[in-house]
Amino acid sequence: MAAVNRLLPGSEGLPLVGETLDFAKNVFAFIGRRRARHGDVFRTHILGSPTVFIAGPKHTATWLDPTKIQRAGALPGNLLALFGGDADIVPLLDGEVHAQRKRCLLAAFSPEAIAAYLPGLESRMEALLAKWLENGEGPVTAELKTLAIESLAESVMGLKPGGPELTRLLAENAILAKAFTALPINLPGTAFAKGLQARDRILALLEGVVQRHIDSPPPDGLSRILAAAKVAGAPLDAKTAAREMHHFLLAGMIVYAELAATLRVLHEHPQVRERLRAEVLAHAPSGPVSPARLRAMPYLAQVVDEVKRTCPNVPMSFGRAKTDIDIAGCTIPRGTLVMMAVYESNLATVFTAPEKFDPERFSPERDERKRAPDAFAPQGAGELTGHKCAGFDFATVMMQLFAVLALRTATWDLPEQDLSIKWVVPPEHRSGLVVRWAKAKQVG
Ligand code: HEM
């Protein structure tokens, strides 16, 4: 492979390790600092390979061009292993094979499918809020993680919270999560080796779940996916579908960071909170929250989108140059790893005061999204049928529903605590985000 064109700004760092140590310390700061220094396209050397980062809407068209960027061969081996050890999962597919698989997976997130998930999501969130209110004060991060996994597992796979399979999945995923931040050394007793063993148990469990759905489909998202694949003439076998479900659980879990961020920003921005509370009490003061009720609250959509834009969650997406790529007056040689800086791209100067939390930027009068194609891409750019996040609408609805239920049920504040951030993926509050709850005043 040719070396990355020297004219690209950036640095290769130390011999052998490159800039990997700095990268591993804090991926978000690594990308942010270099983008500030070098601009929207810069080179580095991480994880054993010359790598180019691109950021911001100006370069999204390059990133989305399938003749230039491929997903095959882009994910580091340790991550591939933890995601199932086989590149036949949707984020790593290209071309028609990807399009076909993605169409099937999206069947689990159609408007009808999401509408069917809402009652279950609502009762789980209400139960969690009731528990928090009863306890009065405590950390929320761990329970939001559980909420995110349970919500996806029940909606898509019909697994019951508290049931034996979901309880096992939660325990195994906790072991797996530690392997994502561990050194990738597969020796007996290491966190990475334990993660791989947990992965195998998860895949075996999910294969059983898929087989049950193939034999006798219940009304849930996985049945929709399997039916869509069958209609398309390419039925999914149990092993492949299990790997996709494993990726779904890992990808879907990260919504918890957005739910935590929602609690924090609404605490820190009382004007936003009270305006949103008024909208919620006008349109959904009690009772089931239907899609129509969510659609009737435009300010809710603005707030949720601004949380998505500002919440650090996914630092980057992985790609590889399929050909020599001319960009920013330089050439990225074919075969080079090319990363789209997801979080940084949403802080691009196309937005007014991009660091500021300001839901008004998404008002119909200002809508800053329209300033450039894909300016707003917190879950990847392009169309849903491309590599944009399959769970985009599901995450939106989870966040909207959570805000509605929290605001109409409770008031909250954040007592004295260490609100600094542990820069893992997704980043977490060191304190676990301790929240003090009180019952909301009854309306009407
Ligand atoms: C707010 C929380 C979430 C964030 C920030 C997020 C972010 C992302 C990002 C940045 C990508 C990569 C896009 C690209 O490579 O161009 C992605 C892909 C993906 N996400 Fe999400 N995601 C979230 C929630 C979810 C949920 C709830 C699911 C549900 C299963 C999900 C499933 C997926 C899948 C399957 C892909 C791969 C899509 C493909 O390659 O075609 N994500 N997500």
Side-chain angles (χ1 to χ4, degrees):
M1 190 207 313
V4 173
N5 188 329
R6 293 276 157 196
L7 292 177
L8 268 174
S11 137
E12 246 113 79
L14 300 169
L16 292 177
V17 288
E19 299 191 301
T20 304
L21 296 178
D22 208 16
F23 174 79
K25 225 185 287 161
N26 180 341
V27 183
F28 295 86
F30 177 89
I31 299 172
R33 273 201 303 269
R34 280 162 182 76
R35 179 169 166 242
R37 200 180 309 146
H38 304 304
D40 284 344
V41 184
F42 62 86
R43 72 187 156 88
T44 174
H45 193 288
I46 50 170
L47 310 170
S49 300
T51 302
V52 172
F53 276 86
I54 60 180
K58 234 163 80 193
H59 301 295
T60 307
T62 301
W63 171 252
L64 293 177
D65 185 341
T67 66
K68 293 184 175 155
I69 299 287
Q70 66 181 42
R71 303 304 178 110
L75 201 65
N78 62 321
L79 296 184
L80 175 63
L82 297 172
F83 277 118
D86 185 324
D88 185 7
I89 47 171
V90 77
L92 306 180
L93 299 177
D94 290 299
E96 189 42 43
V97 181
H98 171 265
Q100 150 77 24
R101 178 72 54 78
K102 189 69 176 286
R103 277 195 295 274
C104 299
L105 297 181
L106 286 173
F109 301 114
S110 65
E112 307 76 51
I114 290 181
Y117 304 153
L118 269 172
L121 294 175
E122 185 169 337
S123 57
R124 198 162 320 105
M125 286 181 191
E126 275 175 341
L128 186 56
L129 284 161
K131 181 178 155 196
W132 285 340
L133 273 166
E134 194 174 318
N135 292 346
E137 181 176 322
V140 295
T141 303
E143 284 172 301
L144 288 175
K145 271 187 206 173
T146 303
L147 174 74
I149 296 180
E150 287 186 347
S151 297
L152 191 90
E154 185 175 21
S155 302
V156 176
M157 291 170 243
L159 301 180
K160 293 286 162 227
E165 286 175 321
L166 194 39
T167 305
R168 264 189 58 208
L169 274 179
L170 283 167
E172 302 291 10
N173 270 298
I175 300 171
L176 189 69
K178 290 195 184 123
F180 274 94
T181 51
L183 287 174
I185 300 169
N186 188 8
L187 287 177
T190 61
F192 188 69
K194 287 180 187 165
L196 292 179
Q197 289 156 7
R199 172 206 70 183
D200 290 342
R201 292 189 293 268
I202 291 169
L203 288 172
L205 189 156
L206 291 175
E207 222 178 297
V209 171
V210 174
Q211 195 55 55
R212 245 184 5 244
H213 280 70
I214 292 173
D215 295 343
S216 148
D220 60 28
L222 178 54
S223 296
R224 286 174 187 267
I225 292 171
L226 295 169
K230 215 164 159 185
V231 168
L236 280 174
D237 62 83
K239 273 199 186 331
T240 308
R243 268 196 315 277
E244 293 289 7
M245 291 302 103
H246 175 46
H247 178 255
F248 262 33
L249 285 170
L250 290 169
M253 192 257 285
I254 64 179
V255 179
Y256 84 86
E258 311 278 334
L259 303 180
T262 303
L263 292 175
R264 181 165 178 182
V265 294
L266 291 182
H267 163 72
E268 287 173 347
H269 298 269
Q271 280 180 333
V272 174
R273 181 182 67 233
E274 293 317 314
R275 180 171 162 196
L276 185 56
R277 196 193 303 278
E279 186 181 70
V280 167
L281 295 180
H283 293 279
S286 60
V289 184
S290 61
R293 278 178 136 185
L294 291 177
R295 278 196 302 274
M297 294 185 271
Y299 192 58
L300 176 65
Q302 284 176 226
V303 172
V304 161
D305 283 354
E306 184 63 342
V307 172
K308 282 193 184 190
R309 191 187 70 82
T310 52
C311 173
N313 195 328
V314 175
M316 64 211 240
S317 290
F318 297 80
R320 199 178 267 284
K322 207 171 171 179
T323 179
D324 286 355
I325 300 173
D326 293 329
I327 191 165
C330 306
T331 304
I332 303 173
R334 175 168 178 260
T336 306
L337 286 173
V338 181
M339 309 293 177
M340 171 47 101
V342 176
Y343 172 62
E344 273 295 312
S345 292
N346 286 282
L347 301 178
T349 47
V350 69
F351 295 111
T352 302
E355 308 287 338
K356 193 172 155 202
F357 179 80
D358 176 17
E360 270 311 281
R361 73 174 78 251
F362 294 131
S363 64
E365 303 75 46
R366 257 174 78 186
D367 199 348
E368 295 181 5
R369 265 177 289 236
K370 295 192 180 139
R371 291 180 178 173
D374 284 302
F376 177 69
Q379 290 169 257
E383 303 294 326
L384 271 181
T385 47
H387 278 285
K388 180 171 169 172
C389 175
F392 189 89
D393 294 333
F394 184 73
T396 303
V397 162
M398 287 257 314
M399 292 169 68
Q400 291 181 336
L401 189 60
F402 182 71
V404 167
L405 298 176
L407 284 165
R408 78 183 191 185
T409 315
T411 59
W412 65 91
D413 68 349
L414 307 183
E416 190 69 25
Q417 63 192 286
D418 179 4
L419 281 172
S420 64
I421 301 291
K422 199 160 53 169
W423 290 98
V424 288
V425 177
E428 284 181 18
H429 294 91
R430 272 183 222 286
S431 61
L433 194 63
V434 179
V435 177
R436 183 161 49 212
W437 299 92
K439 251 194 160 67
K441 285 192 205 86
Q442 287 300 307
V443 283

